[in-house]
Amino acid sequence: MTMKTRVFSGVQPTGNLHIGNYLGALTQFVDLQNEGECVYCIVDMHAITLPKEPDELRDHVLDVAALYIAVGIDPKKSIVFVQSDVPGHAELAWILTCQSYTGELSRMTQFKDKSRGNESAPAGLFMYPVLMAADILLYDADVVPVGRDQKQHIELTRDLAIRVNNRLGEDTFVVPEGRFLKEGARIMALDDPTAKMSKSAESEMSRISLLDDEAKIKKAIMRSTTDSDGEIRYDIENKPGVSNLLSIYSAFSGRSIPEIERAYEGQGYGSLKKDLVEVAVDQIRPIQARYAEIRHSEALTRVLADGAERAGVIAEATMRRVKDKFGLGGGASVPSGAGR
Ligand code: ATP
Ligand code: LTN
């Protein structure tokens, strides 16, 4: 019997998902459903690394759950659940904290970026990648589809798994691989193509949210930063704005970048932008319609309850195995060998 590939990924409930999240991560989530056993998490414990209003957090969790389904994640095929519903994440995060070094955690660029300017950074922000490693290792994940910005965190997860396996045996953790797309892996801000498109950037014109209306999408694309030489050519170094528009166009339409360059030869940025608005709206509109149907439905709550139960079964088996390996636990622990 061949064991199915286990896929795990997570998204933070920190606001409306944007096309960077969609093109870098969510499209992969959907495609992988036909290849493996997929577990998709809404990582609410990561979201509290920076202060969050409780009611807002609850709303955002449901927003992301509904968007997961709206983009095509099928809860019958995949497990969709909320991180804090499964206690194993926090439990394993502590065990992994004890395997990590402050030096390697201080080198994480996301930590450096998010804590910049803070004389005393929140400890949760520092531990963020360890919790992420726990998420992944808890499900014995083979493959982790993410945007390119998460590459360093995936490397840390692999380092931790290998470090523990060297000490306690190869059967302690599955060493996961990151999966990054070619186009869409790093979508940049529309008003500043040197920064990544982000939920947390102040300017609304920097991003396109999956829930934006047509007028906003049009405005953000038409106003996006380009350059003055007028040539539609992919060149990240010298033409980051146009290159970003080409990446977005390619990821949405499925057409290759050289093909798009050829199609627009001799034309101005205006026509590229105008057509990109159409391509983006065509893709986003059906997602919004499906989102509206399910966001306030009881079915959504049932998906999360069912997901938590199914995720919990996998997590408990891993925790029994890992605690036994570390010599943790008293009467409640069982001998090694339990697992998937
Ligand atoms: P923020 O956008 O506020 O920085 P984040 O990167 O923390 O948020 P998450 O919601 O946790 O966002 O990310 C979900 C997924 O989207 C991750 O796999 C991440 O790599 C991917 N992603 C985020 N931003 C981009 C982007 N600009 N381009 C491509 N993928 C992205
Ligand atoms: N750090 C990720 C979100 C995340 C994640 C995970 C992604 C948390 N846990 C586990 C993949 C696997 C981010 O995109 N900011």
Side-chain angles (χ1 to χ4, degrees):
M1 193 182 79
T2 56
M3 201 137 58
K4 248 187 153 182
T5 302
R6 172 84 47 75
V7 177
F8 182 94
S9 197
V11 170
Q12 294 191 74
T14 43
N16 285 338
L17 301 194
H18 51 71
I19 59 169
N21 302 129
Y22 178 65
L23 298 172
L26 294 175
T27 54
Q28 297 200 70
F29 293 10
V30 175
D31 292 346
L32 283 165
Q33 292 187 111
N34 300 320
E35 285 174 38
E37 183 187 358
C38 299
V39 184
Y40 296 130
C41 187
I42 299 154
V43 292
D44 57 346
M45 296 202 297
H46 280 99
I48 62 165
T49 49
L50 292 172
K52 272 292 242 179
E53 284 305 317
D55 285 336
E56 202 182 15
L57 180 58
R58 262 187 283 272
D59 268 351
H60 284 162
V61 164
L62 294 175
D63 291 345
V64 173
L67 276 173
Y68 267 177
I69 294 165
V71 300
I73 292 172
D74 177 354
K76 287 199 195 74
K77 283 192 199 158
S78 302
I79 298 177
V80 174
F81 77 107
V82 179
Q83 186 184 33
S84 62
D85 281 338
V86 176
H89 294 257
E91 215 178 350
L92 186 55
W94 174 252
I95 295 176
L96 294 175
T97 297
C98 301
Q99 318 308 313
S100 313
Y101 297 105
T102 52
E104 62 191 346
L105 297 181
S106 355
R107 284 194 293 275
M108 295 290 125
T109 50
Q110 183 173 302
F111 169 70
K112 287 196 272 187
D113 286 349
K114 297 212 172 181
S115 60
R116 191 162 290 145
N118 270 3
E119 209 171 280
S120 169
L125 215 48
F126 188 65
M127 300 314 303
Y128 180 110
V130 179
L131 179 58
M132 175 165 165
D135 297 340
I136 297 167
L137 300 181
L138 189 58
Y139 294 91
D140 290 333
D142 304 289
V143 175
V144 185
V146 276
R148 186 115 15 226
D149 62 313
Q150 295 302 307
K151 196 161 192 259
Q152 203 185 22
H153 291 163
I154 303 286
E155 279 309 310
L156 177 80
T157 305
R158 291 171 53 83
D159 288 348
L160 288 172
I162 292 167
R163 190 175 299 160
V164 172
N165 285 357
N166 283 341
R167 189 159 83 84
L168 300 175
E170 295 297 314
D171 54 346
T172 312
F173 288 126
V174 172
V175 181
E177 302 269 352
R179 186 179 190 268
F180 313 95
L181 290 181
K182 201 160 153 271
E183 312 308 344
R186 192 166 157 79
I187 300 294
M188 309 308 280
L190 292 170
D191 59 352
D192 173 10
T194 58
K196 88 164 183 144
M197 186 177 286
S198 157
K199 281 181 258 173
S200 36
E202 232 162 72
S203 158
E204 275 293 318
M205 287 302 142
S206 68
R207 60 185 161 259
I208 295 174
S209 267
L210 290 179
L211 300 178
D212 279 346
D213 63 24
E214 212 170 310
K216 158 70 203 308
I217 296 174
K218 188 168 177 193
K219 203 163 154 189
I221 292 178
M222 296 311 290
R223 281 194 188 176
S224 63
T225 305
T226 44
D227 52 55
S228 54
D229 84 9
E231 196 189 343
I232 297 177
R233 180 168 52 84
Y234 189 86
D235 176 351
I236 288 272
E237 286 289 304
N238 302 307
K239 299 170 70 67
V242 177
S243 304
N244 191 37
L245 294 181
L246 286 168
S247 293
I248 298 172
Y249 198 131
S250 168
F252 268 132
S253 66
R255 293 166 69 185
S256 74
I257 289 181
E259 189 189 333
I260 302 167
E261 283 172 338
R262 274 195 302 277
Y264 285 91
E265 215 178 307
Q267 298 187 48
Y269 296 152
S271 60
L272 176 76
K273 287 180 173 179
K274 205 163 114 293
D275 291 353
L276 178 57
V277 172
E278 216 169 287
V279 169
V281 168
D282 275 356
Q283 296 283 320
I284 292 173
R285 201 182 286 126
I287 296 175
Q288 294 185 347
R290 178 110 183 85
Y291 172 86
E293 270 170 33
I294 50 185
R295 170 61 179 83
H296 297 285
S297 69
E298 243 177 67
L300 189 63
T301 336
R302 279 201 301 275
V303 164
L304 295 179
D306 174 61
E309 201 178 314
R310 288 156 70 198
V313 172
I314 304 173
E316 269 179 41
T318 311
M319 284 317 295
R320 274 199 297 274
R321 183 183 81 225
V322 171
K323 283 171 75 175
D324 180 56
K325 284 280 189 183
F326 276 90
L328 292 165
S333 61
V334 295
S336 57
R340 63 164 163 145

